[in-house]
Amino acid sequence: MLRYTAKQLLNIAVTLLAVSFLVFALNELTPIDVARKLLGPYATQDQVDILYKQMGLDRSLLARYWEYLANALSGNFGESNLYRRPVAEILWDRLGNTLVLAGICFAVIVPFSALLGVLAGMRERSFVDRAVSVFASVCASIPEFALGVFLLAIFVVGLGILPGTSPLSTSGGWPIWSQFVLPVAVVTLYDGGYLISMIRSSMVEVMRQPYIRTATLKGMPFRNVVVKHALRNALITPFTVILLQLNYLVSGLVVVEMVFAYPGFGRMMLEAALNKDIALVEAGALCAVSVTMLTQILGDLGYMALDPRIRV
Amino acid sequence: MVDILAFESVTIEHKGRGPVPNRILYDVSFSIRPGEALGLVGESGCGKSTIALATMRALPPGMKVTAGRILFQGQDVNLLSDGDLRRVRGNRAAMIYQDPMSSLNPVMTVGQQLIEVPMLHHGMDRGKAWKRAVTMLHEVRLPDCASMMARYPHQLSGGQQQRVVIAMALMAEPALLIMDEPTTGLDVTIEAAILELVRDLRAKFGAAVLFISHNLGTVARICDRVGVLYAGRLIETGTLGSVFRAPAHPYTRGLLAALPRLSLGRRGRLEPIEGTITVGDRARIGCALSPRCAFSQPQCDGAEIAMHPVGQDQEHVARCVRLDEIPARPVSLAAARPHVNDSDYDDVEVLLSVRELSKAYGLGGRFGGKGKGSIRAVDRVSLDARAGMTLAIVGESGCGKSTLAKVISGLTSASGGEALFRGVDIAGQSVDQRPDDLRRRIQMIFQNPDSTLNPSHSIEFALVRPLKRLRGMSRAEARDEVRRLIERVRLGSDVLACLPDQLSGGQRQRVAVARALAGNPDLLIADEPVSALDVSVQAAIVNLLSDILEQSHIGLAIISHDLALVRHMADWVAVMYLGKVVEYGPADQVFAPPFHPYTDALLAAAPEPDPDAGPPRVVLGGAMPSAAEEIRGCVFASRCPRKIGAICDEVVPPVRHFGKHTIVCHLDLRCGDDAHASRRIKADPAPGFSL
């Protein structure tokens, strides 16, 4: 177990290194002139050239990467061109916001979809199963932005009981908690729809297993069969997928963040990439990769805990 | 006394897609008295598992009892309230299943699963239930019971898993035990041990048993009475002795005649039941067997047929109107093959000569590097396959027989030793390194025809391809040859256009044989070619293989765990255990004393459909050790009932020669030591039922 974790941590370090270089190199390929972008369309070519030199962009890619890496290792992630502030400041702020949103979503999505998925899957083709399946596929097939707009139309425009944007400040007159309701609802419905189908089909598969028949023919009430024998088995397969949702929740919420003007990590990354804010993109990418790799380890460990057949 | 279980003219139907429901069972009546064991035998699809599930009122969705009653201890199962039903299930009637691995919950320990039963039915607290479970594990003779309780099912061997399932069933001391193919999928020696256990437990706990199996031999070991099922009908019932000694229904007779038996030695041909069972047979009005029956007459069809008594015996009844007119059908003994003398083998060409062949798999090594030791799947094996003769490689799962076949056919390459095929060493060549001509000469027939024929290719395509690839035929030539091939395996050319799943299992296996013959091979390797097939179909495939051997000069290497089949087919036999050949020689000598202790145990364990067969003399305990273990002495030492002492564990046993027959054992078997033979191969040629 210890060896496994150590190995995985080493894996993360290597991957982070590779990713940091890749992002750096790929950034080079985008046809945006940073200096021009910063100075605006009315600057002269001379001014642009000077800034170009000042920023050290005339040096080779490797040299610049090396410098970046050395700084990053000592904790200095550079300064954002876009926001004119140290990267660390912006990053932690945005990442913090996103983690709050992601945490709430995750805490809602998992029990919500596990409950519905198990209820649907335990009696295949029953009324509950059909109803839940339809609900799940409808949720999963409406795009996030459309879902966001629908909910906005109902709760903000129609009923007026929730705020239309979530800037996480009380200046608009809405308490902070109320600003979370709609983003969380959109993410839960959209992502939950997918998870429900996953858990349902896993549950259906488990209910067909001979050991479920064994349990039933022991004389156990159906409830106990489901809770004691089926539940844990049904969660084994979707478990990895459930944890993968964490990645999505951290770095994939761009759309929701845009719709609700939520100051999150995804939006930050989008803006940074569009403005060729290399320092910010780099740091963001490294964060996203770390989250992915960590959830993977978490997934493996959890998998082992759930399924005694798998041991390192 | 009330019968424990009684079926009264039960009909079960499945609500299919069509307007008419499918008949699954029709007019099934039988009863089981307290303490009695009733065996139900029949081939796949005959409805035997449906009977088991109906008893527990656990029919799959869509199936319903539409006529008759199922009485458990006098109560109609289908009228019980849900609560009462739960008090029957697992408590008064318990079930043991075919595949123990999948019928145990993989994420719960053995103990957790066992204690549920008394906690549920007897309101025991955890501690008491735990104690009871440990006692029960003792009863099923599991070692180290306390630690066994904390293990997960996947940490046990197949035999141990089945013992746990049996213990679980016995936890509440039920009045009825339903066993649905409890030993199918287990190795012969494990099967024998489980059957012995069931016999003993029956005597001890006095439970009535409903024993369901396709294997007539296992039924003979357990049951007092037998019922034979065909196409959803019970066609014959009676005491074990009367049914097995004097089968009355043509199907029962056919079934018994189709079975290869150890006691019959080498016979020329088996007697298959022609044709196959079809879905339509279940819905037939009249005799379901009639389309396949040689004695069928117009009176057999048109009206449902009742059970008729056989002779004076009131208990023995059969569903056939022509019982008195059907001539007795003795087993044809004339067909026995002539005895082969030792010297006869000398002038037969040796096709394949395997010398000191080994195959080891690395364990746990990453990036192809050296790992934590290795598995010696095949360990310095030497044997010969001769033209026109059958070499059988027998042994239980994990003995390396399939790996050996894979090395010879090139699906994997050897890690040591050589395999000389007509003088050329092929041991190190995997199939893609072999020249086309060599590939053509060695062909394989696999166990499961369902999964080895591509389901989206027609039969014709599957046969034309090897002809073009291996024999360079043009399309027109190949088309003609395909027709010859399909005739050679006795199929009509109408199957050519079919897809594999439009054919029956037997037909598919014939296609597989035809495909193997397409290369016009010198050596055919058949890995368990009939073990996935029903008995009556098995016989026809076995006959087909013998015919092909007789007509051509092909050598056949057959891999099998079925000793009776091997006895019937083989000219040479190699008995393998844990990667090594422990006994090798001409079949008649291997199947006669002196025996290697393992061969002896295998022979004793093989279930024969003989009502007089007592319990096997030797029952092996334990399980085959892992091939990853380092074994310095004899591979069989850990389970050998005749182990001498430390020498067996520490010194590699010598190869003892008896003519052409070799045994690898420390025992000096030479000095008339055959007294230990557990079951002498019977000299009297008449099996129980020659009338």
Side-chain angles (χ1 to χ4, degrees), chain B residues 414-557:
Chain B
S415 48
E418 52 186 14
L420 298 173
F421 182 72
R422 301 217 138 128
V424 183
D425 184 14
I426 58 167
Q429 285 178 319
S430 66
V431 80
D432 43 316
Q433 294 166 333
R434 294 181 180 183
D436 270 357
D437 186 54
L438 179 59
R439 247 182 275 175
R440 173 185 75 71
R441 285 168 188 276
I442 301 179
Q443 289 288 321
M444 264 195 104
I445 300 169
F446 297 95
Q447 172 171 7
N448 200 339
D450 307 6
S451 52
T452 44
L453 288 171
N454 189 329
S456 54
H457 288 166
S458 72
I459 302 303
E460 175 150 24
F461 185 83
L463 294 176
V464 164
R465 210 152 58 160
L467 289 173
K468 289 209 254 181
R469 270 296 273 119
L470 296 172
R471 286 165 71 184
M473 287 189 173
S474 70
R475 179 177 281 266
E477 284 173 314
R479 279 176 160 262
D480 292 343
E481 180 64 19
V482 160
R483 287 188 165 63
R484 266 199 295 281
L485 277 172
I486 212 79
E487 222 165 87
R488 205 166 158 202
V489 296
R490 296 201 197 95
L491 287 172
S493 54
D494 48 322
V495 303
L496 287 176
C498 295
L499 292 176
D501 58 335
Q502 292 168 308
L503 305 182
S504 72
Q507 285 174 318
R508 274 194 289 246
Q509 198 59 310
R510 282 170 195 271
V511 171
V513 173
R515 196 211 52 79
L517 290 176
N520 198 10
D522 295 340
L523 179 65
L524 262 183
I525 302 166
D527 190 354
E528 302 272 10
V530 296
S531 62
L533 303 174
D534 278 322
V535 177
S536 67
V537 183
Q538 238 179 44
I541 299 286
V542 168
N543 284 345
L544 176 69
L545 286 173
S546 334
D547 290 348
I548 286 166
L549 239 56
E550 230 160 75
Q551 292 155 12
S552 58
H553 216 53
I554 297 176
L556 175 68

Side-chain angles (χ1 to χ4, degrees), chain B residues 353-359 377-383 403-408 413-420 425-428 576 579:
Chain B
S353 175
V354 174
R355 290 287 162 265
E356 298 275 304
L357 192 80
S358 298
K359 173 70 190 175
V378 174
D379 194 7
R380 275 168 290 156
V381 163
S382 299
L383 37 81
T403 309
L404 182 60
K406 276 188 193 162
V407 172
I408 298 170
S413 52
S415 48
E418 52 186 14
L420 298 173
D425 184 14
I426 58 167
M576 283 186 77

Side-chain angles (χ1 to χ4, degrees), chain A residues 7 209-211 213-222 224 228-230 232-233 236 306-311, chain B residues 53 56 58 86 89-91 93 95 97 102-108 113-114 116-117 120-121 152 154 168 366:
Chain A
K7 224 182 198 166
Q209 294 301 312
Y211 55 79
R213 189 184 58 192
T214 308
T216 311
L217 294 188
K218 264 180 190 173
M220 237 182 218
F222 185 71
N224 288 10
K228 284 188 171 171
H229 286 263
R232 187 166 156 198
N233 282 296
I236 290 175
L306 272 178
D307 191 342
R309 284 166 294 186
I310 298 164
R311 290 276 181 260
Chain B
L53 293 176
M56 293 290 230
R86 280 204 301 273
R89 286 173 173 177
N91 185 19
M95 197 153 163
Y97 314 84
S102 63
S103 46
L104 290 170
N105 191 330
V107 304
M108 287 170 78
Q113 301 190 51
L114 283 171
E116 280 179 347
V117 179
L120 203 64
H121 293 296
Y152 288 98
H154 71 277
M168 200 152 81
R366 240 183 148 183

Side-chain angles (χ1 to χ4, degrees), chain A residues 295-308:
Chain A
T295 49
Q296 215 163 65
I297 298 186
L298 217 62
D300 284 354
L301 294 179
Y303 210 64
M304 275 180 252
L306 272 178
D307 191 342

